[in-house]
Amino acid sequence: MKNIYLIVSIIIMFVLNTRGQNKLNLQVDEAKTKINKEIYGHFAEHLGHCIYGGIFVGENSNIPNERGFRTDVINALKEMQIPLLRWPGGCFADTYHWKDGIGSREKRPSIVNIHWGGVTEDNSFGTHEFLDFCELIDAEPYININVGSGTVQEASEWVEYVTSGNESPMTQLRKENGREDPWEVKYWGIGNENWGCGGNMTPEYYSDLYNRFATYCGGAKYKIAGGPNVADYNWMRVVMQKVASRPWLVQGVSLHNYSFAHNWDNKGDATGFAEDEWFSNLKDVHRMSGLIKQHTAIMDQYDQERRIGLIVDEWGNWFQVEKGTNPGFLYQQNTIRDALAASINLNIFNNHAERVKMANIAQMVNVLQSVILTKGDKMVLTPTYYIFKMYGVHQDAMLIPSHLKTEDYEYKGEKIPAINASASIKEGVVNITLSNASANKDVILEIDVNGKEVKTATGQIITSKNINDYNDFDKPEAVSLSEYKVAKPEKGKLTVTIPAHSVLLVQLK
Ligand code: AHR
């Protein structure tokens, strides 16, 4: 009898303890900021097997392909809804001379890829191939110009070659290479990481160079200045001071931020980790929110109307390379931890959609936090792939202002928020994406929906048995997307259980 009392009081205490602790308040009728679909952008660099082997195998390959591009990868990307793709780098961009990659493939010169493994790059994937691939996957192209080792003339001729409808030597050359009409390429990055691999410049020197390059790249409608590394607020301040005063020359400033199991010098393994590295990685992922707030505050001083976009064109988890692989190829596996990391980052971008106009996860195939891994003719979709598929509902939807009250996930005296969330509305459907970072504890969340009468509620979930589960070539569906039952809301309120280490999409109609 005594035992029964004990059990009942533990249950009552548990219920009292968890009820009402976690609340998400949504103001549906105050949705007024668009979540640009470009926030769901990707990045493909000439690095390891991202381009060669991952995307492009050539027309003569035994791997099924369309004009040399892998058919399986094309189909998977279309299914995921990829809105935008950045190319050719990364650090590679500031070594890339675009004229090496046009014309007959047999005649294209080779170069050495100095940043990534010192391998020989035969330039068989160049401007035409990239833009052709973007057309095949229905993605907008975003081209990154070489500032570090390139010239203003080279940059301005590239923009002309791609975008101009005029009669000129560059458009003539394009036509000779088989493309009559110009392509529509809106987004152009001017330099990459020019504080580091893109020339080790000071922000003052880079900003002056930026103004020169941008002046002569008039055909580039949306020009993106190379912004800071992580928390380099001085870089952001100087670039905004020197560049933002000429609004016609700049539409965006980039930000790069990667997350690790510990830090840059101790990246940790992509798989086989225990709860300590699960926690420390997700804690590091949360850094993104503070960075965006601080950089936005600086940008606001020079651009109060928030006309200039914060372009997070490199983000994601960066771990040690898989054992036995080339250290210069940055090949890593991808677990449910990466799904959580992607979910937290994407929720943060959505919630800052007023300033964050684009984001590009690094990188699309076979490099860092990829959505797709390939091995020969095999392909596997990672947990991060399923996050992008699930979050597709937010593309070009209206952000719903929300207020989240969440319990903490505590580990050895440190804590992070257990729940992370964002919400949007599109075509009358409210989409709420939620993640529970806790390794072992389910959480209960009350959602208050103000401003919409809800008739039905449906759900989807991404989760797995263990915190370090991943999809592999012989076990491709260990982590995937499935239906999740959600109770019908009553009087505008909905109670949802978010299982430990999982991500949910709740849709209200
Ligand atoms: O994504 C890998 C590398 O990380 C990129 O080339 C560079 O821009 C960044 O340092």
Side-chain angles (χ1 to χ4, degrees):
M1 199 59 166
K2 234 169 133 191
N3 280 349
I4 293 178
Y5 280 131
L6 189 65
I7 292 168
V8 170
S9 46
I10 288 174
I11 292 173
I12 290 171
M13 268 165 63
F14 175 78
V15 171
L16 289 177
N17 199 23
T18 50
R19 257 189 72 198
Q21 197 179 356
N22 302 310
K23 282 201 167 127
L24 178 67
N25 196 289
L26 302 179
Q27 297 299 335
V28 180
D29 38 18
E30 285 176 27
K32 56 179 191 324
T33 305
K34 190 166 101 177
I35 299 173
N36 271 5
K37 67 180 190 320
E38 288 78 12
I39 283 180
Y40 291 84
H42 291 254
F43 169 37
E45 179 167 10
H46 289 240
L47 195 178
H49 292 299
C50 183
I51 302 285
Y52 301 111
I55 296 173
F56 190 66
V57 287
E59 288 92 336
N60 300 327
S61 170
N62 293 332
I63 299 173
N65 67 82
E66 217 169 305
R67 303 199 292 280
F69 307 104
R70 292 182 72 122
T71 314
D72 52 358
V73 170
I74 293 172
N75 292 339
L77 291 173
K78 282 170 89 167
E79 169 89 26
M80 185 191 74
Q81 299 181 54
I82 173 166
L84 174 109
L85 183 59
R86 174 178 183 240
W87 171 86
C91 295
F92 181 78
D94 284 283
T95 66
Y96 185 61
H97 300 283
W98 69 273
K99 284 186 187 161
D100 293 348
I102 55 170
S104 151
R105 287 205 194 118
E106 296 70 48
K107 293 198 186 131
R108 296 185 192 175
S110 290
I111 57 163
V112 173
N113 192 334
I114 55 163
H115 291 296
W116 306 120
V119 294
T120 301
E121 157 69 54
D122 70 2
N123 277 306
S124 54
F125 187 100
T127 303
H128 288 250
E129 287 76 15
F130 171 63
L131 294 170
D132 205 9
F133 181 64
C134 286
E135 278 175 2
L136 278 174
I137 59 172
D138 286 335
E140 271 208 60
Y142 164 19
I143 295 182
N144 213 112
I145 282 172
N146 176 351
V147 169
S149 69
T151 64
V152 176
Q153 182 178 356
E154 191 182 2
S156 105
E157 287 183 345
W158 199 4
V159 175
E160 192 192 336
Y161 183 92
V162 169
T163 63
S164 174
N166 296 334
E167 272 304 314
S168 74
M170 284 306 113
T171 58
Q172 188 53 37
L173 184 59
R174 182 186 74 219
K175 289 174 192 170
E176 282 163 23
N177 288 332
R179 175 79 186 197
E180 187 65 29
D181 296 327
W183 288 276
E184 269 187 37
V185 179
K186 177 175 166 192
Y187 297 105
W188 294 80
I190 300 198
N192 170 75
E193 297 196 351
N194 301 93
W195 39 261
C197 66
N200 287 304
M201 302 173 190
T202 62
E204 289 80 7
Y205 180 69
Y206 169 73
S207 303
D208 290 342
L209 262 189
Y210 175 88
N211 285 334
R212 261 187 85 206
F213 273 71
T215 303
Y216 300 101
C217 293
K221 289 204 192 99
Y222 196 107
K223 291 183 271 299
I224 298 166
N229 184 29
V230 195
D232 185 348
Y233 300 118
N234 182 49
W235 184 282
M236 178 59 94
R237 195 167 296 110
V238 174
V239 168
M240 287 302 290
Q241 244 168 24
K242 296 189 77 139
V243 168
S245 56
R246 294 182 185 83
W248 62 95
L249 286 190
V250 65
Q251 287 70 42
V253 178
S254 71
L255 165 66
H256 288 185
N257 177 47
Y258 287 96
S259 31
F260 314 97
H262 300 281
N263 51 50
W264 173 257
D265 297 316
N266 183 8
K267 298 189 180 69
D269 289 327
T271 59
F273 50 83
E275 189 174 352
D276 58 340
E277 290 194 344
W278 163 274
F279 179 86
S280 54
N281 173 240
L282 295 183
K283 184 163 182 261
D284 199 27
V285 168
H286 274 279
R287 186 156 41 107
M288 185 65 92
S289 166
L291 287 175
I292 290 177
K293 284 187 192 136
Q294 301 260 38
H295 283 299
T296 297
I298 296 169
M299 293 176 83
D300 283 351
Q301 289 169 23
Y302 303 91
D303 170 37
Q304 281 155 12
E305 300 83 47
R306 300 202 165 168
R307 193 189 53 77
I308 298 176
L310 181 59
I311 307 295
V312 192
D313 59 13
E314 285 187 33
W315 66 271
N317 267 341
W318 190 325
F319 301 119
Q320 325 272 24
V321 297
E322 294 302 321
K323 290 191 182 62
T325 65
N326 186 329
F329 284 8
L330 310 186
Y331 177 81
Q332 67 190 41
Q333 248 297 355
N334 195 293
T335 64
I336 183 73
R337 181 178 62 177
D338 294 279
L340 265 290
S343 145
I344 294 168
N345 272 304
L346 292 170
N347 284 336
I348 293 172
F349 301 148
N350 286 347
N351 288 328
H352 290 93
E354 223 190 321
R355 183 60 93 175
V356 177
K357 298 295 177 196
M358 183 201 292
N360 306 68
I361 189 168
Q363 299 191 5
M364 193 170 71
V365 189
N366 292 332
V367 171
L368 301 178
Q369 192 178 344
S370 304
V371 290
I372 293 175
L373 300 174
T374 65
K375 185 158 99 185
D377 63 350
K378 295 202 182 77
M379 176 189 83
V380 75
L381 306 176
T382 68
T384 303
Y385 174 93
Y386 290 107
I387 291 292
F388 273 85
K389 192 168 174 199
M390 175 188 263
Y391 274 64
V393 291
H394 290 306
Q395 291 189 23
D396 281 345
M398 300 305 284
L399 175 72
I400 299 178
S402 59
H403 182 261
L404 175 68
K405 189 170 147 249
T406 168
E407 65 184 81
D408 288 322
Y409 161 33
E410 292 193 29
Y411 183 77
K412 293 198 175 159
E414 291 192 273
K415 49 190 179 189
I416 58 173
I419 305 174
N420 190 271
S422 71
S424 69
I425 182 162
K426 189 155 123 188
E427 291 158 10
V429 181
V430 170
N431 298 300
I432 311 163
T433 42
L434 303 160
S435 54
N436 176 5
S438 173
N440 306 306
K441 186 179 169 223
D442 297 357
V443 292
I444 297 168
L445 176 70
E446 269 180 37
I447 305 175
D448 223 326
V449 191
N450 302 291
K452 174 164 172 76
E453 200 200 322
V454 179
K455 296 202 182 81
T456 63
T458 52
Q460 293 178 11
I461 188 166
I462 298 171
T463 193
S464 64
K465 191 158 171 275
N466 306 303
I467 56 169
N468 47 27
D469 283 342
Y470 59 93
N471 295 336
D472 212 346
F473 299 97
D474 52 2
K475 207 176 42 150
E477 294 287 316
V479 188
S480 66
L481 191 61
S482 52
E483 295 301 308
Y484 187 73
K485 210 162 166 40
V486 186
K488 196 172 171 247
E490 279 180 27
K491 296 193 186 134
K493 281 194 181 15
L494 185 72
T495 304
V496 182
T497 301
I498 317 172
H501 61 264
S502 67
V503 182
L504 291 190
L505 165 66
V506 175
Q507 294 191 285
L508 308 176
K509 290 186 188 150

